[in-house]
Amino acid sequence: MFPTQRPRRLRNHPQLRRMVQEHVLTTNDLIYPLFAVPGEGIANEVKSMPGVYQLSVDKIVEEAKEVYDLGIPAIILFGIPADKDMDATGAWHDHGIVQVATTAVKEAVPDLIVIVDTCLCEYTSHGHCGYLEVGDLTGRVLNDPTLELLKKTAVSQAKAGADIIAPSGMMDGFVQAIRSGLDEGGFQDIPILSYAAKYASAYYGPFRDAAESAPQFGDRRTYQMDPANGQEALKEIALDIAEGADMLMVKPALAYMDIIWRVKQATNLPVAAYNVSGEYSMIKAAALNGWVDEQRVVMETLIGFKRSGADLILSYHAKDAARWLQSS
């Protein structure tokens, strides 16, 4: 009887569907981003990211404990300093906000992996990811001088107890510079999760509210990648691997699943996908308006990242996803 092949046979029962499921999402795949600010008892909700907060260190510690109890193995820390300057002092100072938050979390929840974002845009007065020429209003970052700032920042973060350094500035040679700085500082065992393929994306808008890191002029297209380019991502990851990256990241994730796939096929290193702020906020806004089923859309999106080749997923949905996984 036609048809002989009936794929629906394997979809007839929930247990059978589980048995033949090709990809599985678990809490082990998730990393939760947190934003640290000076002060105490502070939890400022980010208006463009419902459910996401700027948190003082004491609140960061509370969140870290909750994240760990949910079975999520890691957080990534971003910092908003009290003061910003041309030298991004808050990024590399031993008492910088990320350094203080890192130490506090490692003391309170030692088994939680603390990843630190190693970038300068939150700390510079102009909002760009490094040094600029005096009087330059284009946002063209001076690459090699900025490498020295990134090296100092990474070493200070490692001294504070960070488990993983995650440089995101897209400077040429930043992995090599940071690797040499860590090794010279006695931190040979600290891995680097490189933002290897980071695109100049409109999806970052809400993050810039959260991290207070919007450029004061110009844009970041001279150092972040053109969204039209795919082959260039493979060049970027090859360079980062040669320079000593231990893991690679693709950012954003939703519109770049083809890049995640291509990166995964090109390397045997773990690949992370950053489910960025704009992706989060779009789902949140639609869910709050009753237009989509939030749980189903979030879980479908996250499994899509896994299907595209991601081993790790940085997501503001991570806590909700962990709860939904526990209840399923």
Side-chain angles (χ1 to χ4, degrees):
M1 179 186 295
F2 177 83
T4 304
Q5 295 295 327
R6 295 180 181 268
R8 289 180 58 188
R9 292 172 184 146
L10 300 183
R11 303 174 195 151
N12 280 333
H13 193 282
Q15 301 296 358
L16 185 53
R17 292 195 294 273
R18 284 181 57 204
M19 291 168 63
V20 299
Q21 187 174 15
E22 296 176 26
H23 300 278
V24 177
L25 178 74
T26 75
T27 55
N28 295 336
D29 303 317
L30 302 174
I31 298 167
Y32 189 56
L34 289 169
F35 298 94
V37 296
E40 188 173 349
I42 296 172
N44 298 325
E45 187 170 26
V46 180
K47 290 183 179 179
S48 57
M49 300 178 69
V52 173
Y53 296 81
Q54 295 175 332
L55 301 169
S56 53
V57 172
D58 55 317
K59 295 292 185 179
I60 289 276
V61 169
E62 291 177 12
E63 280 286 285
K65 290 177 180 177
E66 181 181 3
V67 166
Y68 183 74
D69 289 342
L70 285 168
I72 298 170
I75 60 172
I76 182 167
L77 286 175
F78 299 88
I80 301 96
D83 299 298
K84 304 187 180 195
D85 57 39
M86 299 294 284
D87 294 317
T89 305
W92 48 264
H93 196 282
D94 287 345
H95 300 292
I97 185 61
V98 162
Q99 286 79 355
V100 172
T102 297
T103 301
V105 170
K106 291 305 294 184
E107 289 176 353
V109 199
D111 289 334
L112 182 69
I113 294 294
V114 175
I115 306 168
V116 286
D117 179 75
T118 305
C119 195
L120 308 173
C121 60
E122 298 106 307
Y123 307 93
T124 56
S125 49
H126 47 66
H128 283 284
C129 299
Y131 282 124
L132 304 179
E133 287 277 11
V134 176
D136 181 5
L137 296 180
T138 68
R140 190 167 185 266
V141 173
L142 298 175
N143 193 92
D144 294 4
T146 296
L147 297 182
E148 294 303 311
L149 282 182
L150 290 171
K151 183 189 295 188
K152 285 203 300 183
T153 300
V155 171
S156 71
Q157 292 169 335
K159 287 180 180 177
D163 297 294
I164 297 173
I165 300 297
S168 61
M170 290 299 287
M171 296 296 112
D172 294 339
F174 70 162
V175 172
Q176 181 174 320
I178 288 170
R179 184 73 273 161
S180 66
L182 291 172
D183 291 353
E184 291 164 6
F187 299 105
Q188 296 91 340
D189 294 331
I190 299 291
I192 294 174
L193 166 57
S194 173
Y195 289 64
K198 181 179 179 181
Y199 286 83
S201 173
Y203 283 98
Y204 302 150
F207 174 91
R208 291 172 183 171
D209 292 338
E212 300 179 11
S213 62
Q216 298 302 302
F217 48 81
D219 57 42
R220 296 180 178 147
R221 295 181 189 181
T222 65
Y223 45 103
Q224 295 178 357
M225 290 177 57
D226 186 335
N229 293 356
Q231 191 66 26
E232 186 183 10
L234 302 185
K235 178 181 180 180
E236 287 281 4
I237 69 159
L239 290 169
D240 284 5
I241 292 169
E243 292 174 17
D246 300 283
M247 297 177 281
L248 306 166
M249 190 190 301
V250 176
K251 181 181 180 181
L254 190 60
Y256 297 85
M257 288 198 199
D258 62 316
I259 305 301
I260 298 170
W261 173 258
R262 292 173 73 172
V263 169
K264 188 60 181 176
Q265 296 305 300
T267 177
N268 58 6
L269 295 184
V271 175
Y274 201 138
N275 179 206
V276 299
S277 59
E279 299 164 11
Y280 171 88
S281 295
M282 288 191 300
I283 291 176
K284 274 292 184 182
L288 288 169
N289 278 284
W291 297 336
V292 299
D293 181 321
E294 181 177 359
Q295 179 175 340
R296 291 188 64 187
V297 170
V298 168
M299 299 306 277
E300 185 176 338
T301 301
L302 297 179
I303 201 67
F305 299 145
K306 289 285 290 183
R307 193 183 65 249
S308 69
D311 301 292
L312 304 167
I313 303 168
L314 295 82
S315 179
Y316 305 96
H317 297 292
K319 288 200 304 179
D320 286 336
R323 295 187 185 99
W324 294 329
L325 287 167
Q326 289 177 356
S327 64
S328 63

